Structures are given as structure tokens and as C-alpha cells.
Amino acid sequence: ELGLVNEVQIVGIWKRGLNFIENIDSNRKIIRIKTVFQRFNISNLVLKKILLLSGVIELNFKFFFIILNYKPIFISCHNLILLPVCVLGKFLTKAQLIYVPHELETEKTGLNRFYKSLYKILERFFFKFIDKTIVVCQPIADWYKMSYNTNEVFVLRNVPIKSEVSQPLNKSTILRDEFKIAENDIVFIYQGNIDKARGCKDIIDIFKICQKNKHLVMMGYGELVPYLQEASFTCSNIHYKPAVPIERILDYTSSANIGLIFLPFDISLSYKLSMPNKFFEYTLSGLPIVVSDNLEYLSNEIANNN
């Protein structure tokens, strides 16, 4: 729409049920790569790790050949694992390389000491070849600027420009209607990945023992969905809503009273500085938000903005 390019190709990883090539419209195409890791169902942990490493190497090679064949004007790299091959692709195609990490790649949750050290070495070495970096909030931008002594880091928050933001909000009752929740009961909503790493088990367990006029709706998908569904069968105030199309999210979210973002354990620096999409989905829906104070940037934003 800005006239910078006439086409965008999005390269991702194939999952069962999806097409290998999908045309979103006349200007945007998704290419999904299938790796060796996805061809086998192996339970042995050592073999699984070997296959996963093989899959990462294969992904890099295939991604590299897509860059060479396509000869893009810009390469937008979304994670550190693909940064080395994107740098190589930049030099061979004369493209500009834009680094758009989803989070603080070297400080994210789940990295042990070895991988954290490896990630830091890789990012520090290849960062000098990046033309611009785009991150989701100011504290992460400040971290990159200080760590790599650069001013070429910009913030683009994950909030859309929508004309309806300036209009009075039409709150729906869709969740109350679907789950037959009384008008005076309080509805808390959590949306996104439903798994232990997002504190979901703790949230579910809290609502198992709280007053039944306080309802929890979890909307999304993830490994804890069976646990959530089991809780919903025995607790009248716990409800599961599968993920809805992106254009319907605000309809559902606005029918709740309070948004939840909660992590009950010690978290990584990446999480402490995070600014997740659900924060903006809650605010666009006119909800007050409950945030655990270990999410430092989010809790400060809420306190500073009353």
C-alpha cells in the first residue's frame, strides 16, 4: 500500500492440513517448508534432537535457495536461527536486511546456558550486517541499542491503525450468551496459547476454588486444552472457547469484563520486557487488565496510564 514493493512472499514451516503454497491475494503468497523433522514420529529424545537439528539445517538451506531464486529487495528476518542465512542472502542479492525479532532472542524463556551463550555470539556477530531492526516496544529497542551500540533500532508496536478506535465501543454479549453467564457475574478472559509456560494451569486452578460468580473464559489453543476442558466439565465458572478468526477477536473479547496476563514464576528478561498482542486486544476491547508484576514493562504501562 505504501508503494515500497509490489509483492510479498512469506516463508514459514508447513504443518499438517495446510497447503505448501497459499496465495493470500494477488500481492501476497505464503510458502511453507516441510523438514525432515516432520517426516518422522520418534519418541527417543536423542534421536529427536538430532532430527530437530537436521530440520533446522534443512530449513536454512531451503530458505537460502528461495532467497536466491526470488531476489528480493528486502529480507525481513523474524528469528535468530535464520539470521545467518539471511545475511548471506543479503550479500548475494543486494537486498536490504530488516531484523524483526519477535522477542529478545538471546534472553528468551527456555534457553539453557549453552544455547544462551551460542545465541549471543551469533547475534553479536551477524548484527553488524543488519540494515535496520524493528522491535515491539521501547525497552527492547533500548536493550538492542545499548548491547550493539546502534541507533538503527525502531519500535513498531503490534497494534493496528483502526478507525473504530476513535468511535464509541460497542460491547457485545457473545460470551455471556454462549456460556449462559448471568448479567451481574464477572467474566475474566485469557486469550492466546493455552499452556503451562503462559501460567494457564495456575489460572485454571485459581478459578476452580474461587467464587462461582467469577467466570474464566480461555480462548485459544495449546497443550493444556484437555486440562481446561476437564475443569470446565466439573466447574460451572470455567469455560473453553476455541480460537476465533482474527476479525472476530474483538467481538468476543469485548463481551468480557477483565483481561488476564499472568505468569506465576520467575521469568526471562524477554518476558519481563514483553508487549504481547493480547494486551492490545484487551485495550481495544475496552477492558481493564490484570497483569502480574513480574511482567515489568506491562505492569508499568498499566500503572502509568491508570
Side-chain angles (χ1 to χ4, degrees):
E1 290 175 358
L2 291 172
L4 293 171
V5 297
N6 56 20
E7 187 178 79
V8 177
Q9 284 198 4
I10 302 153
V11 184
I13 297 175
W14 175 83
K15 287 185 179 179
R16 191 176 302 280
L18 297 175
N19 295 324
F20 289 104
I21 295 178
E22 178 182 344
N23 292 307
I24 302 172
D25 51 38
S26 59
N27 303 109
R28 292 179 297 162
K29 178 197 291 186
I30 299 175
I31 300 169
R32 297 187 178 95
I33 297 171
K34 186 176 184 179
T35 68
V36 66
F37 180 70
Q38 295 167 297
R39 295 188 181 96
F40 300 96
N41 187 14
I42 294 175
S43 56
N44 183 280
L45 194 58
V46 175
L47 286 176
K48 208 169 188 176
K49 285 186 176 181
I50 293 170
L51 269 181
L52 183 59
L53 179 60
S54 302
V56 169
I57 294 168
E58 182 184 3
L59 183 69
N60 274 271
F61 270 106
K62 289 182 175 178
F63 196 72
F64 176 66
F65 285 114
I66 288 170
I67 293 173
L68 282 187
N69 288 331
Y70 190 55
K71 296 181 176 59
I73 300 170
F74 298 99
I75 299 170
S76 175
C77 178
H78 285 263
N79 57 54
L80 182 53
I81 287 173
L82 289 169
L83 185 57
V85 77
C86 287
V87 168
L88 184 58
K90 165 196 164 151
F91 286 123
L92 294 176
T93 62
K94 303 293 188 285
Q96 284 198 52
L97 176 56
I98 316 297
Y99 188 36
V100 194
H102 292 292
E103 54 180 313
L104 259 180
E105 290 284 293
T106 61
E107 299 289 340
K108 61 187 181 183
T109 300
L111 290 181
N112 60 32
R113 188 175 296 178
F114 171 77
Y115 280 109
K116 185 175 280 195
S117 300
L118 179 62
Y119 274 35
K120 284 180 183 293
I121 292 167
L122 282 174
E123 191 173 60
R124 180 170 295 280
F125 178 79
F126 287 103
F127 200 87
K128 62 175 78 82
F129 304 110
I130 294 167
D131 294 294
K132 300 282 190 294
T133 299
I134 299 172
V135 295
V136 296
C137 64
Q138 194 58 50
I140 291 179
D142 293 340
W143 187 93
Y144 274 107
K145 286 178 180 179
M146 184 178 69
S147 297
Y148 300 124
N149 192 27
T150 177
N151 288 318
E152 298 299 313
V153 182
F154 304 90
V155 175
L156 185 62
R157 299 192 301 175
N158 288 331
V159 57
I161 298 170
K162 285 185 175 289
S163 58
E164 58 263 33
V165 171
S166 59
Q167 306 299 319
L169 180 70
N170 292 319
K171 278 183 167 286
S172 78
T173 59
I174 194 166
L175 288 175
R176 289 183 184 275
D177 296 340
E178 181 171 338
F179 297 115
K180 297 179 175 55
I181 300 171
E183 185 179 345
N184 293 326
D185 288 1
I186 301 172
V187 179
F188 295 78
I189 188 167
Y190 167 91
Q191 56 199 48
N193 286 336
I194 301 171
D195 58 36
K196 280 186 179 180
R198 306 296 175 96
C200 292
K201 184 178 184 301
D202 298 78
I203 295 172
I204 294 166
D205 290 344
I206 288 165
F207 277 85
K208 282 181 179 180
I209 59 173
C210 77
Q211 296 159 304
K212 296 309 174 189
N213 66 340
K214 295 180 175 65
H215 291 257
L216 170 67
V217 175
M218 284 194 160
M219 187 167 75
Y221 49 83
E223 64 177 21
L224 274 186
V225 165
Y227 185 78
L228 172 61
Q229 288 176 314
E230 184 182 339
S232 71
F233 296 145
T234 56
C235 300
S236 61
N237 64 325
I238 296 177
H239 314 280
Y240 170 54
K241 178 67 185 174
V244 300
I246 192 165
E247 63 272 11
R248 299 293 316 279
I249 286 176
L250 298 190
D251 291 337
Y252 282 88
T253 308
S254 68
S255 65
N257 298 107
I258 296 169
L260 289 175
I261 308 176
F262 173 70
L263 293 176
F265 35 74
D266 189 34
I267 59 175
S268 65
L269 181 61
S270 181
Y271 273 8
K272 287 178 182 178
L273 303 183
S274 65
M275 181 59 102
N277 291 353
K278 65 172 70 69
F279 178 81
F280 295 112
E281 289 160 358
Y282 294 158
T283 53
L284 287 172
S285 301
L287 302 189
I289 306 169
V290 173
V291 171
S292 50
D293 58 7
N294 55 353
L295 291 158
E296 294 172 8
Y297 180 55
L298 278 185
S299 57
N300 285 338
E301 284 293 284
I302 288 173
N304 293 337
N305 290 284
N306 196 27

